[in-house]
Amino acid sequence: MSDIIEQYRVTKEPYYHPVADEVQLYEAAYSVRMPMMLKGPTGCGKTRFVEYMAWKLKKPLITVACNEDMTASDLVGRFLLDANGTRWQDGPLAVAARYGAICYLDEVVEARQDTTVVIHPLTDNRRVLPLEKKGELIQAHKDFQIVISYNPGYQSLMKDLKQSTKQRFGALDFNYPNHDVESEIVAHESGISIEVAEKLVSIAERARNLKGHGLDEGISTRMLIYAGSLIAKKVDAHAACRVALVRPITDDPDMRDALDAAVSTFFN
């Protein structure tokens, strides 16, 4: 057992800058094993927050990147063939429930709805996971908790979470940090000066104002760290922003020109 679960421990403190009372609220939620839902735009720190909380609470963390091809068997487990015949292989959700880890389903709405319903018995007072193919009922370990994340502003109505799923979770809203905090995060994570970080954040703020007006999504904190990391390696700031900020989020020539002009405003 220890070998299985120890590989999922977060052994080094992840850098996380609290922006409100999210750390205290999550600790309280974990103390009663409340399932939690983290809502916010891509790249704003949801995954880093879960990693930080797993480290702070000294609990293993099993992360599943959800996608539209993911099946229920991918989550709970399946029989496999080997030289000795068939054997059962627990999926990540079953491992977390059996041994007491935090199971984090990242961008859960990307999974099919018939897949996400398998988490329902774990998110109410039953705290069980039926392994129907194996004929086993896992009673969740006392340390088990399930956490999901999604980006509500990016999802179509066809890919939203069902109310029957949403109402099983407590929720924390995430957004991009304020200017000073985001600048500090970018400087810390990329190794650039706070002055350069502030310029990158200012560019991102301009781009975020264009969301819904030509851009589907704004420039994320993660992208700013990428740009800062290139600048820290002596890449020209204009080139770093072009590669890490502008080109990834739009193919529209006019929008690219507008964002390139914003870069030139701050890195003249």
Side-chain angles (χ1 to χ4, degrees), residues 7-166:
Q7 63 182 312
Y8 296 109
R9 290 200 180 274
V10 183
T11 56
K12 183 180 178 183
E13 179 179 2
Y15 178 75
Y16 180 77
H17 193 304
V19 297
D21 56 355
E22 69 272 21
V23 172
Q24 292 81 4
L25 286 172
Y26 186 96
E27 285 181 318
Y30 182 81
S31 71
V32 295
R33 305 303 185 263
M34 180 189 294
M36 290 300 293
M37 173 167 52
L38 312 182
K39 303 165 70 173
T42 300
C44 70
K46 300 187 297 295
T47 299
R48 177 62 63 90
F49 172 73
V50 178
E51 291 172 349
Y52 173 76
M53 293 310 305
W55 172 84
K56 195 171 191 296
L57 294 166
K58 298 181 172 59
K59 303 301 177 186
L61 173 66
I62 298 177
T63 298
V64 180
C66 298
N67 62 78
E68 60 188 8
D69 296 322
M70 190 174 74
T71 65
S73 293
D74 293 327
L75 276 180
V76 301
R78 54 168 55 91
F79 283 105
L80 300 176
L81 282 171
D82 62 19
N84 300 315
T86 60
R87 63 180 176 87
W88 177 261
Q89 177 72 50
D90 274 344
L93 185 61
V95 171
R98 197 185 295 279
Y99 299 115
I102 296 170
C103 186
Y104 175 48
L105 305 181
D106 188 18
E107 299 294 347
V108 69
V109 293
E110 295 298 329
R112 301 198 308 261
Q113 289 186 339
D114 61 335
T115 299
T116 55
V117 295
V118 303
I119 69 177
H120 284 189
L122 285 167
T123 53
D124 56 29
N125 62 309
R126 292 173 291 174
R127 282 176 60 86
V128 296
L129 179 63
L131 304 181
E132 294 177 358
K133 292 180 180 178
K134 191 184 179 190
E136 180 186 357
L137 188 67
I138 297 177
Q139 293 284 342
H141 189 284
K142 63 181 178 62
D143 290 342
F144 169 78
Q145 185 196 32
I146 189 162
V147 181
I148 64 176
S149 73
Y150 84 114
N151 177 355
Y154 185 64
Q155 308 305 336
S156 69
L157 290 174
M158 296 296 290
K159 299 191 80 172
D160 201 3
L161 282 176
K162 289 182 176 180
Q163 282 296 329
S164 60
T165 300
K166 287 181 180 178

